[in-house]
Amino acid sequence: LTHYTKVRDRHPYTVYEIAVQSPSTISWVIYKRYKDFDKLHKSLPKEHPLPTLPPKRMFQIMEATFVETRMAQLQEYMRRLLQLPNLTSHPMLIEFLKVPDPVKPMLFTKASPRSGNSGAALSSVHSGGKHISYPNKSYEDRKVYELVDALQSTTKRVAAIAEFEKFFFERRPRLDVEVVRYLFMGSTDRKTSSGLLGACGNYGYSNVASRAALDLICRFLDVERNKDAHTFIEIFVSLGVQRLRRMQIEHHINEERGSRLGAFRLLALLRERMGARNMEQIIGDSGDGQMARKHFARWAERKRGFTIAPVSN
């Protein structure tokens, strides 16, 4: 779902714009009201447990926050619906999506080993106004890829981070090692930094988004908050000094309104797992790096009960 339009009639309602894409790259746009989703949901067979449709509401239906939340919920509903085996060939869903005639034969073709099940046939996401399709990815993996794309190509990075954080800590998905690496560093083919490391270090774009990225990294590595924290930590430290430099962690320490506490805890972890020398290389030898080391040394002595000698000029 890409946009919505509020219609202020005697009985106000909202029309949602839905961008759909087929495996053959044919794409089209349809427009639906909530009652259309409700009608579709009631008409589908219950052979497979259907995803939960957002409930009806009688009041405050024109408020922007409610409409935006419902649009996100309906988008998730459609994505999960398209993952169900054999459902993409159901007549009611084909009618709902207004599938063009050239695409319909694809939906009745049995899944091949390469393409996976047919439930992914109409799977698509929308990011920054550009279609980005992940037809062979699971729902959990797609959420990771969507976040990395949003951090690279949209202006709503804080909202994208908050949405993914809510998804991750509510659903607690098990992510593969390569997906976690992608979450941290994005594609290795990009010339510019991407992933959470790149967003963390891109304070020139937005200090708020930079802090949000650092805070999310810290939550991923917190054993009290993330049941898979040990796996995340192993992957994180394996990225190496040069990649971890992308975080510009010294900026977070020296910035008055930065995420200083999170940066301190992250450095303590890196020092423990990678050694003091590698930790110092991650901070860097610039003036900002020297200052950040002194701040960290004072914090470590006060909070952890051990002393780290400040680097002399």
Side-chain angles (χ1 to χ4, degrees):
L1 279 71
T2 56
H3 301 286
Y4 63 85
T5 301
K6 298 178 183 178
V7 179
R8 299 188 179 277
D9 201 350
R10 181 179 178 183
H11 300 290
Y13 60 91
T14 302
V15 177
Y16 298 96
E17 178 183 283
I18 308 173
V20 190
Q21 185 167 355
S22 74
S24 62
T25 71
I26 297 175
S27 60
W28 64 97
V29 175
I30 59 177
Y31 298 89
K32 298 292 181 180
R33 294 173 56 177
Y34 174 86
K35 69 177 185 180
D36 298 318
F37 287 88
D38 185 57
K39 180 180 177 181
L40 170 69
H41 186 80
K42 292 176 179 177
S43 66
L44 293 174
K46 304 303 187 289
E47 299 172 12
H48 305 281
L50 298 177
T52 302
L53 183 70
K56 293 182 180 180
R57 277 188 62 175
M58 302 300 295
F59 305 101
Q60 299 177 323
I61 61 172
M62 300 298 282
E63 290 184 0
T65 53
F66 169 75
V67 174
E68 290 172 0
T69 299
R70 168 161 283 181
M71 184 169 72
Q73 292 172 337
L74 290 173
Q75 180 171 333
E76 182 173 355
Y77 170 80
M78 288 304 302
R79 287 176 179 162
R80 295 180 63 187
L81 198 63
L82 292 173
Q83 288 184 317
L84 296 179
N86 303 320
L87 198 57
T88 51
S89 60
H90 193 277
M92 293 304 298
L93 185 57
I94 291 176
E95 174 59 27
F96 177 85
L97 294 174
K98 303 297 180 185
V99 177
D101 289 337
V103 177
K104 290 180 181 178
M106 304 177 192
L107 306 182
F108 293 91
T109 303
K110 291 186 178 181
S112 67
R114 284 188 175 185
S115 64
N117 71 50
S118 61
L122 293 173
S123 175
S124 69
V125 298
H126 219 277
S127 178
K130 178 181 179 182
H131 272 302
I132 305 172
S133 297
Y134 307 112
N136 297 320
K137 301 292 182 184
S138 68
Y139 171 72
E140 290 77 10
D141 289 356
R142 285 207 308 270
K143 296 294 286 186
V144 172
Y145 279 72
E146 289 171 34
L147 172 63
V148 173
D149 285 321
L151 295 177
Q152 188 73 12
S153 60
T154 73
T155 58
K156 298 181 179 180
R157 301 181 187 184
V158 176
I161 292 172
E163 180 184 352
F164 184 84
E165 181 173 355
K166 183 175 185 294
F167 153 77
F168 183 88
F169 288 100
E170 284 185 355
R171 291 184 61 116
R172 307 281 177 176
R174 291 286 180 127
L175 302 177
D176 292 337
V177 170
E178 289 306 313
V179 176
V180 176
R181 285 176 62 87
Y182 190 85
L183 175 61
F184 281 134
M185 58 180 290
S187 174
T188 56
D189 297 332
R190 295 185 188 271
K191 295 182 179 179
T192 56
S193 298
S194 60
L196 285 173
L197 299 187
C200 181
N202 193 8
Y203 54 85
Y205 171 82
S206 168
N207 266 321
V208 178
S210 177
R211 292 197 299 269
L214 178 64
D215 289 342
L216 183 54
I217 290 172
C218 291
R219 289 199 69 182
F220 284 145
L221 306 181
D222 189 337
V223 294
E224 294 183 358
R225 296 182 175 183
N226 181 10
K227 68 182 185 337
D228 295 322
H230 292 294
T231 300
F232 275 69
I233 290 171
E234 292 297 330
I235 298 169
F236 185 74
V237 299
S238 73
L239 298 177
V241 170
Q242 293 304 315
R243 292 192 179 106
L244 295 177
R245 279 285 301 143
R246 298 179 186 179
M247 292 186 295
Q248 300 288 325
I249 199 167
E250 65 275 11
H251 171 80
H252 291 273
I253 293 175
N254 296 331
E255 177 70 22
E256 290 184 3
R257 300 180 64 182
S259 299
R260 179 174 286 187
L261 181 58
F264 284 156
R265 290 174 174 169
L266 198 55
L267 282 181
L269 172 67
L270 292 172
R271 183 182 187 277
E272 176 185 349
R273 300 301 298 270
M274 300 179 70
R277 184 173 181 178
N278 284 329
M279 182 207 72
E280 291 173 356
Q281 290 178 351
I282 291 170
I283 299 175
D285 293 323
S286 65
D288 286 343
Q290 296 282 345
M291 184 179 298
R293 292 186 198 184
K294 292 177 181 179
H295 286 311
F296 176 65
R298 287 195 290 268
W299 173 84
E301 183 177 6
R302 183 174 65 253
K303 296 294 184 181
R304 302 287 183 169
F306 58 84
T307 302
I308 301 175
V311 177
S312 57
N313 295 325

